[in-house]
Amino acid sequence: MTALGSYNKFHNNCYKDAIIITCLNSCTSFFAGFVIFSVLGFMALEQGVHISQVAESGPGLAFIAYPKAITQMPVAPLWAVIFFFMIMLLGLDSQFVGVEGFVTAMVDTFPEYLHGGYRREAFIAAVAVLSFFLGLPMVSEGGLYLFYLWDYYAASGMTLLWFCFFECIAISWIYGANRFYDNIAMMIGFRIFPWIKICWLFLTPLMTGGIFLFSIISFKPLYIKNSFFTYEYPLWGQAIGLVFAIVSMIQIPIYVVYAFITTPGTLYERWVKLTTPVLKPHQLRQQDMPSHDYMPTHLPLITEKEPALLAYYKPADGVALRTTHVIN
């Protein structure tokens, strides 16, 4: 989301976008629940078994249970084409977001190597080809076992919670929740509901950190048991899965140690330098400027027919003042 959001204009209403995406995501899940469980209930009734015995979550639901249900529908070939076309679009959408997020981060980190000419396009092609070959083992004869291993460890909630926790700490406590809150006001022209800032500071870190610790405490090795097959992974297989998870999670502490080692100065000077955000002039607040006479110059041109509120801040208390500026 961060990488894709970087393509927006400075004054894009990200607050409205966040609300729309959240509502659409919840409504989609709510609607999908009716679709999935109506089909599973129909199959359970047809087979005379409990719904829990029809299918489990995972690839079996999408590629075994659902296609079987589609064959019992009127005009089954049409529904089959529509269903698998949806699966294809879902996979493409996921790949667009994943590849673009990774590519954008790499291009922004190494602009001297990946900007200019067709170097970005060549890099995207290299990422796509590499991802293709990395995915080939999962469609082999034993690919399902590898898929379960990767899904359980590398793409599990535990790994995602680890990154969400540190991302929230970096934004709310290192960059500063107040600065982030003010930046949003600079972009959209008004202050959002302060409850969100409380979530950044306390609720989200506590929830993600607490659930992560609970996942560690209640951790159980991967064991596949469903209506199609049962498999217990050997010890070396569990070790490979743990490596999948640790390789991604350990990047955060490794980079922190690397940054502290390579930054000159005392330990305190290193901490100050590494935790001080590097901002462009149009991203600075009034209290961040050396002079109190600063007036933001990043606002779009406003005609006399379109007056707008320009929010700027008192150096003393950071209270937003609303002043109407009309450019003739």
Side-chain angles (χ1 to χ4, degrees), residues 51-228:
I51 191 172
S52 62
Q53 301 177 8
V54 175
E56 291 77 17
S57 61
L61 177 63
F63 297 104
I64 298 178
Y66 243 81
K68 185 176 180 181
I70 288 175
T71 60
Q72 303 179 42
M73 294 181 179
V75 198
L78 175 62
W79 290 110
V81 171
I82 294 175
F83 174 76
F84 285 105
F85 182 68
M86 178 200 70
I87 294 293
M88 183 185 70
L89 292 181
L90 187 64
L92 288 175
D93 290 345
S94 301
Q95 285 301 309
F96 286 150
V97 174
V99 172
E100 188 62 35
F102 173 74
V103 168
T104 301
M106 296 301 294
V107 171
D108 291 345
T109 304
F110 306 103
E112 65 275 15
Y113 301 108
L114 299 176
H115 265 305
Y118 292 96
R119 283 180 286 183
R120 176 187 172 90
E121 288 75 9
F123 181 66
I124 294 175
V127 171
V129 171
L130 179 62
S131 300
F132 172 78
F133 284 107
L134 289 176
L136 279 181
M138 294 191 183
V139 296
S140 63
E141 185 174 355
L144 188 61
Y145 300 96
L146 180 61
F147 171 81
Y148 273 109
L149 196 66
W150 183 273
D151 181 65
Y152 187 80
Y153 289 100
S156 66
M158 181 176 63
T159 307
L160 297 177
L161 287 169
W162 171 270
F163 284 101
C164 289
F165 174 79
F166 282 103
E167 182 178 3
C168 193
I169 292 297
I171 292 176
S172 58
W173 290 98
I174 296 179
Y175 181 79
N178 289 329
R179 179 184 284 112
F180 193 60
Y181 191 70
D182 292 342
N183 290 154
I184 295 177
M186 293 169 61
M187 289 187 288
I188 64 178
F190 62 92
R191 286 181 171 274
I192 62 177
F193 191 57
W195 167 256
I196 297 181
K197 184 165 64 172
I198 298 175
C199 294
W200 297 337
L201 285 168
F202 305 108
L203 293 182
T204 304
L206 287 175
M207 291 183 64
T208 54
I211 298 175
F212 174 79
L213 292 177
F214 179 78
S215 301
I216 295 293
I217 295 172
S218 60
F219 173 78
K220 294 180 180 179
L222 175 61
Y223 178 72
I224 303 176
K225 184 179 180 180
N226 53 40
S227 56
F228 306 108

Side-chain angles (χ1 to χ4, degrees), residues 6-27:
S6 65
Y7 290 98
N8 288 328
K9 296 180 180 179
F10 185 82
H11 293 283
N12 177 68
N13 194 336
C14 56
Y15 183 58
K16 181 184 69 175
D17 292 345
I19 294 176
I20 292 175
I21 292 174
T22 303
C23 293
L24 287 176
N25 183 59
S26 300
C27 292

